[in-house]
């Protein structure tokens, strides 16, 4: 008779044999009867069942700003051109291009030896004339001189004082000072050079008050007035300014009108740099405005696809002005109507559409 241990061992062996037999049976079944894959659904079948995939938007009324771009140079609204008043030798120049200066600060010194000597001589003459007037007053009171002689000495004193004022002014001009707060943008003088009368030695510009000069054609000049809004695009932002003044007459050589645009101070607006100025020339109010890519064109016609239920209607529209990727619809479309935004390349009048809710549609189905 078998022991208990042998019986348990035989049962385990039997169990493993049953499991192996079942696995072998499943394998043979799958080989004999392979699982069939569901047939692939074609794009055309999906379109036939659901329609052409599109995205939509609702037409809305909004204002559209029409701007024209012009290019001009940035400059300071306040500029000091430092010039030589007399023919003098440049003794020293105390600033460099890019230096910030304050009003009253010394920029350059001219030799001014002759002017200083002339002022000193006039000063001595004035002192002598003043003493002479005092002496004449004493003599007049004593009756030694007449009123005419006293008046003559006073007139002489006044003439010498005027001469001293002029020579002192010429001498003071040999010390050249800044009249405004600003930045030195030009330097045309070096120590030892001769400064001729009227020669520009230095240029100082006040960068706290900037402006841009642009030239306008007559067609746009009619729409632009003082205070008109202006956008100046920079690398990372837009700075806003306004038209400060307009020339009433065109330049006879070019036929263009000069416009001056007032700008706020900005680190990126540097005097002498060329920038784009987008001037508002027209603002349309209350019309339907669409992204210009939505409007389709065929020959001389412009049209959009209006959605009604699950079909579209080809609608001819009349276009107005366009700007910044938007275009005004003057007629043919009302606010609140639903139109195809993307996916219109394969559409036709009366086509059935499948409105996509999760993302932009292309011209092809994405099953």
């Amino acid at each position: 008779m078998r022991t208990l241990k042998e019986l348990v061992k035989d049962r385990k062996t039997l169990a493993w044999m049953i499991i192996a037999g079942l696995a072998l049976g499943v394998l043979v079944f799958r080989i004999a009867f392979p699982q069939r894959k569901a047939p692939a659904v074609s794009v055309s079948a999906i379109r036939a069942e659901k329609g052409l995939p599109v995205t939509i938007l609702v037409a809305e009324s909004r204002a559209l700003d029409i701007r024209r771009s012009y290019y001009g140079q940035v400059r300071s609204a306040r500029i000091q051109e430092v010039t030589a008043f007399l023919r003098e030798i440049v003794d020293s120049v105390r600033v460099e291009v890019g230096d910030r200066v304050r009003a009253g600060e010394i920029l350059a010194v001219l030799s001014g030896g002759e002017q200083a000597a002339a002022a000193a001589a006039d000063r001595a003459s004035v002192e002598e004339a003043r003493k002479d007037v005092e002496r004449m007053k004493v003599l007049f009171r004593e009756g030694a001189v007449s009123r005419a002689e006293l008046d003559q000495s006073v007139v002489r004193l006044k003439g010498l004082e005027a001469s001293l004022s002029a020579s002192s002014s010429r001498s003071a001009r040999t010390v050249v000072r800044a009249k405004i707060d600003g930045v030195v943008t030009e330097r045309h003088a070096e120590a030892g050079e001769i400064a001729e009368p009227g020669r520009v030695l230095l240029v100082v510009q006040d960068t706290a008050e900037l402006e841009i000069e642009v030239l306008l054609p007559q067609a746009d000049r009619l729409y632009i007035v003082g205070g008109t809004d202006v956008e100046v695009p920079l690398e990372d932002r837009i700075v806003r300014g306004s038209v400060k003044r307009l020339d009433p007459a065109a330049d006879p050589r070019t036929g263009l009108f000069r416009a001056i645009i007032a700008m706020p101070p900005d680190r990126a607006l540097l005097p002498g740099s060329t920038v784009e100025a987008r001037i508002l020339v027209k603002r349309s109010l209350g019309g339907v405005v669409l992204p210009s890519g939505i409007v389709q064109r065929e020959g001389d016609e412009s049209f959009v696809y209006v959605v009604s239920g699950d079909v579209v209607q080809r609608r001819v529209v009349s276009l107005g002005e366009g700007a910044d990727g938007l275009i005004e619809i003057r007629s043919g479309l009302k606010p609140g109507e639903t139109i195809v935004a993307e996916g219109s390349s394969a559409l036709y009048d009366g086509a059935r559409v499948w409105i996509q809710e999760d993302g932009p549609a292309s011209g092809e189905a994405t099953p």
Side-chain angles (χ1 to χ4, degrees):
M1 188 174 182
R2 292 184 177 183
T3 63
L4 180 61
K5 187 174 181 181
E6 289 175 342
L7 289 173
V8 169
K9 184 177 180 181
D10 288 345
R11 287 180 180 178
K12 286 183 178 180
T13 300
L14 181 60
W16 280 111
M17 290 176 65
I18 292 171
I19 292 172
L22 290 173
L24 181 60
V26 170
L27 179 60
V28 170
F29 179 81
R30 286 189 174 275
I31 293 173
F33 304 99
Q35 186 176 3
R36 294 183 179 179
K37 294 182 180 179
V41 180
S42 67
V43 171
S44 58
I46 294 176
R47 289 182 173 181
E49 177 185 356
K50 297 185 176 182
L52 297 170
V54 297
T55 59
I56 58 173
L57 63 79
V58 177
E60 296 180 348
S61 297
R62 54 169 290 184
L64 179 62
D65 289 346
I66 309 301
R67 295 180 182 271
R68 298 283 186 267
S69 290
Y70 307 94
Y71 291 86
Q73 276 197 329
V74 180
R75 69 185 189 191
S76 172
R78 295 201 303 159
I79 301 175
Q80 178 190 359
E81 288 189 342
V82 179
T83 59
F85 182 69
L86 297 169
R87 190 175 191 272
E88 293 287 355
I89 296 175
V90 179
D91 187 61
S92 63
V93 181
R94 301 189 180 183
V95 293
E96 298 288 345
V97 172
D99 288 351
R100 289 195 169 272
V101 296
R102 307 284 294 179
E105 185 176 337
I106 296 176
L107 305 177
V109 177
L110 307 182
S111 62
E114 294 181 6
Q115 307 307 320
D122 289 341
R123 195 173 293 109
S125 298
V126 168
E127 291 299 324
E128 185 63 31
R130 285 173 180 167
K131 292 177 182 179
D132 186 54
V133 169
E134 293 300 322
R135 185 168 56 254
M136 293 297 287
K137 287 180 179 179
V138 173
L139 292 174
F140 175 73
R141 286 193 295 267
E142 294 175 351
V145 296
S146 66
R147 166 64 70 178
E149 289 174 311
L150 174 59
D151 291 345
Q152 218 173 27
S153 66
V154 172
V155 170
R156 178 174 175 271
L157 172 60
K158 290 185 179 297
L160 291 173
E161 286 177 339
S163 179
L164 173 60
S165 176
S167 61
S168 297
S169 177
R170 287 192 295 269
S171 179
R173 289 178 180 179
T174 60
V175 178
V176 182
R177 299 178 182 273
K179 294 181 180 179
I180 61 174
D181 296 344
V183 177
V184 179
T185 56
E186 297 180 37
R187 171 175 166 166
H188 305 292
E190 300 294 338
E193 294 180 346
I194 296 177
E196 298 290 347
R199 173 187 169 189
V200 177
L201 307 178
L202 299 161
V203 176
V204 178
Q205 297 193 34
D206 181 5
T207 55
E209 295 184 33
L210 300 176
E211 59 187 28
I212 304 169
E213 178 180 326
V214 298
L215 298 176
L216 309 175
Q218 182 178 355
D220 291 343
R221 169 66 177 85
L222 299 174
Y223 296 101
I224 299 173
V225 296
T228 298
D229 183 67
V230 181
E231 294 180 350
V232 176
L234 302 177
E235 290 185 0
D236 56 348
R237 64 194 183 284
I238 290 178
V239 180
R240 307 190 81 88
S242 61
V243 175
K244 184 177 181 180
R245 63 180 183 272
L246 292 159
D247 283 354
D251 186 323
R253 295 171 298 175
T254 64
L256 300 176
F257 294 81
R258 185 179 63 160
I260 304 299
I261 301 166
M263 297 298 299
D266 191 281
R267 57 182 172 78
L269 291 175
L270 303 176
S273 60
T274 299
V275 296
E276 178 188 3
R278 299 174 182 168
I279 304 179
L280 179 66
V281 295
K282 193 183 298 183
R283 174 171 286 163
S284 64
L285 301 174
V288 173
V289 175
L290 299 177
S292 56
I294 290 178
V295 180
Q296 307 295 305
R297 292 171 177 81
E298 184 176 325
D300 295 332
E301 283 188 342
S302 299
F303 60 92
V304 295
Y305 284 104
V306 179
V307 179
S308 178
D310 62 350
V311 297
V312 293
Q313 173 195 2
R314 186 179 186 271
R315 182 85 59 80
V316 175
V317 294
S318 175
L319 305 181
E321 298 277 1
D324 298 327
L326 301 174
I327 194 163
E328 177 188 13
I329 307 298
R330 288 181 175 170
S331 64
L333 192 64
K334 297 178 180 179
E337 291 190 288
T338 302
I339 60 174
V340 174
E342 293 189 22
S344 59
S345 60
L347 294 181
Y348 52 91
D349 192 26
R352 189 178 176 210
V353 292
W354 175 24
I355 297 174
Q356 306 291 292
E357 301 291 346
D358 298 333
S362 66
E364 302 297 329
T366 307

